[in-house]
Amino acid sequence: MPSSSLRVADLHLSFGTLEVLRGVDLEVPRGSTTCVIGPSGSGKSTLLRAINQLDRPASGDVLLDGVSVIGTDPNRLRRRIGMVFQHFNLFAHRTVLDNLVLPLRSVLGLSKEEARERALRHLTDVGLADKAPYRPSALSGGQRQRVAIARALAMGPELMLFDEATSALDPELVKGVLGLMTDLSAGGMTMVVVTHEMGFARSVADQVAFMDQGRVVAAGPPAAVFDSPTSPRLRSFLSQVL
Ligand code: ADP
Ligand code: MG
């Protein structure tokens, strides 16, 4: 898989007078998985949106394989960075197949046949080829999220961003989606995963980054972050979630 490294350097971003990212630094080596944890409102979603330029940072840098992507058109970045959201963001009035085919046609410019073939291959990878002709509403939440992941992967991204991809799912559906993310991580995709699933973070992440008040205040291997946290704010967060 041709994945890239990611570096976020001293990233600042404000909404009006509210400074949401206050100097974020993060290093994600190629092919590795970083889980981002932290309290609600600490800036995790904004960080992901700043990485793919959906929100414009005021200063700092975002680099893919050492090359800045600041100022890149978000539509062009969509080819390189896949994003999966809590609420799937599928086109409700299109079939599952079309949800994959349409961006392959419009963003990658594939022919109808090429797009169809690639879409079916990616649906097969997530075990949902038989759902191709249905609307998303006919699928379970877990299946919808797997379609959203397949849609992102079909674009051939160098980096995948997940924003609480399992938070809206019924508990019995979480495992299938986390399993898919685990396989993707093992397959060498570079991933940044915002999650409340501490078990997943501990077992799958190469690095866990703790965000608080717009900064990454602690980062390291899962065992170090979870078992011997040095930051008092991290200790207090973990005592609430573990
Ligand atoms: P998290 O994902 O860690 O819960 P967010 O990145 O969503 O945090 O939000 C961080 C802060 O930025 C919050 O105070 C939130 O209200 C604010 N915020 C997020 N998006 C916007 C926006 N588009 N306009 C104004 N404020 C925003
Ligand atoms: Mg969020």
Side-chain angles (χ1 to χ4, degrees), residues 15 18 20 38-47 55 163-164:
F15 295 111
L18 181 67
V20 173
S40 177
S42 57
K44 304 180 299 297
S45 294
T46 305
L47 171 62
D55 287 329
D163 194 358
E164 299 194 25

Side-chain angles (χ1 to χ4, degrees), residues 110-132:
L110 298 192
S111 75
K112 215 167 166 178
E113 249 339 286
E114 287 170 326
R116 204 186 129 77
E117 200 174 298
R118 195 193 286 202
L120 277 171
R121 183 152 44 84
H122 283 276
L123 285 175
T124 303
D125 284 349
V126 301
L128 292 173
D130 59 326
K131 302 295 183 191

